[in-house]
Amino acid sequence: MKQKIYNQLLQAKLENKKMLAILLDPDKVVLENLDFLISKINHSPATHVFIGGSLVTTNILDELIIRLTQKITLPIVLFPGNPSQISTEANAILFLSLISGRNPDYLIEHQVKAAPILKQTQLEIISTGYILIESGNETAVERISKTKPLDRNNIDYVIQTAQAGEMLGNKLIYLEAGSGAKQAVPLEMIKKVAQNIEIPLVVGGGIVNLQGIQKAYDAGADLVVIGTAFENDLNFFNK
Ligand code: 1GP
C-alpha cells in the first residue's frame, strides 16, 4: 500500500515544517456555501483537510469530498468517528484507535468492522493512536465513546500511553482535547510527549487563536488541527 501522505508527514517532520489541518464536520457544512468555504481554505495556511465528526448524521460525505477535490489540491483525510464515515473519494484515513480509553469498541471492534470495507478502497491508511485528554468539559468524543479522558495533570501516564501506541505500530499519535474543548492540550504535555516518541505528533481540540497554534508548534506538535474556530469564523486565518 502506498504511503504518500504519511511519507510527506515524515518528511515535513524531518525538515521541521509544521503542518495544519482544517477539520470539516460534514454535519455542519452547508453545501450551498461550499465555494466560499473552499476559497477560504485555499487562502489559509492549511496543509491538509480532515473530514469527520464524532456523530455524522448527514449523507453528504461523498458529494462533499468530490466537490472539495475539484477545487482543493490539499490531501483530504478522513477522521472518522465510526466505520460509516468511510468515503472512497478521500485520499487517506486516520485509522484511529482510542488508546486512552478502555472501550473495546473504539480500541478494536470498529476497526475490525472497517477492515473489509477499507480493503476494497484505495485509501491510504494511517494508523493513529488517539489519546483523549481531559479538557474542562465533557466533549463529544467522551460522550460517544463512553470513555474517560486522561488526567491533564498526569503527564507521565500520557507519555506512557503515547509510547505504547507507538510500540504497537501506530504511525501517528493524536493528542485530542475534544472538539470545542474549554482547555486545549497542556503545552507541557505536548512538549514531553513529543520528546518521548519518534513518530509525528498531532494536536487538536480547543485551539481558538493563531497564538494557540504557534504555541502548540513551539511545544513540539507537528500537525495542529483546527475545527471549531474556523467553523465559527471563516476569516480565522486572516487575523
Ligand atoms: C477535534 O481536534 C479537533 O477532533 C479539533 O477541535 O473543533 O476544538 O478545533 P476544535
Side-chain angles (χ1 to χ4, degrees):
M1 166 104 30
K2 276 185 268 142
Q3 288 288 312
K4 188 169 161 234
I5 294 168
Y6 185 61
N7 285 335
Q8 286 166 351
L9 291 174
L10 288 180
Q11 190 58 31
K13 181 174 172 60
L14 210 62
E15 294 169 11
N16 201 27
K17 281 190 193 144
K18 300 297 183 180
M19 292 163 287
L20 180 81
I22 289 181
L23 172 65
L24 300 180
D25 181 339
D27 275 347
K28 293 181 184 154
V29 172
V30 181
L31 284 178
E32 289 72 43
N33 302 340
L34 194 58
D35 284 342
F36 185 62
L37 178 69
I38 288 172
S39 81
K40 289 292 174 187
I41 295 173
N42 280 334
H43 287 95
S44 79
T47 55
H48 295 77
V49 176
F50 283 4
I51 306 227
S54 302
L55 189 75
V56 174
T57 51
T58 50
N59 51 6
I60 62 160
L61 193 59
D62 285 338
E63 185 185 348
L64 172 63
I65 299 174
I66 290 170
R67 287 189 50 190
L68 288 173
T69 42
Q70 283 165 353
K71 291 185 178 153
I72 290 180
T73 55
L74 301 175
I76 311 276
V77 181
L78 298 172
F79 174 51
N82 65 58
S84 71
Q85 296 173 34
I86 295 173
S87 166
T88 53
E89 305 297 333
N91 303 115
I93 180 167
L94 295 187
F95 198 52
L96 303 165
S97 181
L98 184 58
I99 58 175
S100 53
R102 296 296 178 265
N103 179 347
D105 286 351
Y106 288 85
L107 279 166
I108 186 64
E109 177 72 19
H110 286 318
Q111 293 80 346
V112 171
K113 289 211 176 93
I117 305 170
L118 290 173
K119 203 72 192 161
Q120 290 175 23
T121 73
Q122 298 294 315
L123 288 168
E124 179 178 331
I125 293 162
I126 305 175
S127 50
T128 301
Y130 191 47
I131 302 177
L132 184 62
I133 307 295
E134 182 197 346
S135 61
N137 52 326
E138 191 194 53
T139 59
V141 186
E142 179 178 351
R143 197 172 59 248
I144 289 162
S145 70
K146 301 191 179 68
T147 66
K148 284 281 156 229
L150 298 187
D151 181 349
R152 60 188 287 114
N153 298 308
N154 194 345
I155 295 183
D156 286 343
Y157 192 69
V158 176
I159 295 172
Q160 224 176 301
T161 305
Q163 287 177 327
E166 178 172 40
M167 290 174 194
L168 279 166
N170 285 294
K171 293 181 174 138
L172 297 176
I173 292 296
Y174 189 144
L175 292 181
E176 169 73 277
S179 193
K182 264 195 193 143
Q183 294 171 287
V185 176
L187 296 174
E188 189 60 18
M189 183 181 287
I190 299 174
K191 185 172 160 209
K192 291 279 170 55
V193 170
Q195 283 169 351
N196 282 284
I197 58 171
E198 304 281 322
I199 52 178
L201 179 62
V202 180
V203 175
I207 298 177
V208 291
N209 52 41
L210 301 179
Q211 295 90 308
I213 299 176
Q214 191 56 48
K215 282 183 187 161
Y217 288 151
D218 293 344
D222 297 297
L223 188 153
V224 167
V225 184
I226 295 292
T228 310
F230 180 70
E231 201 175 276
N232 289 344
D233 177 9
L234 295 181
N235 291 317
F236 176 77
F237 292 106
N238 304 3
K239 289 178 178 155

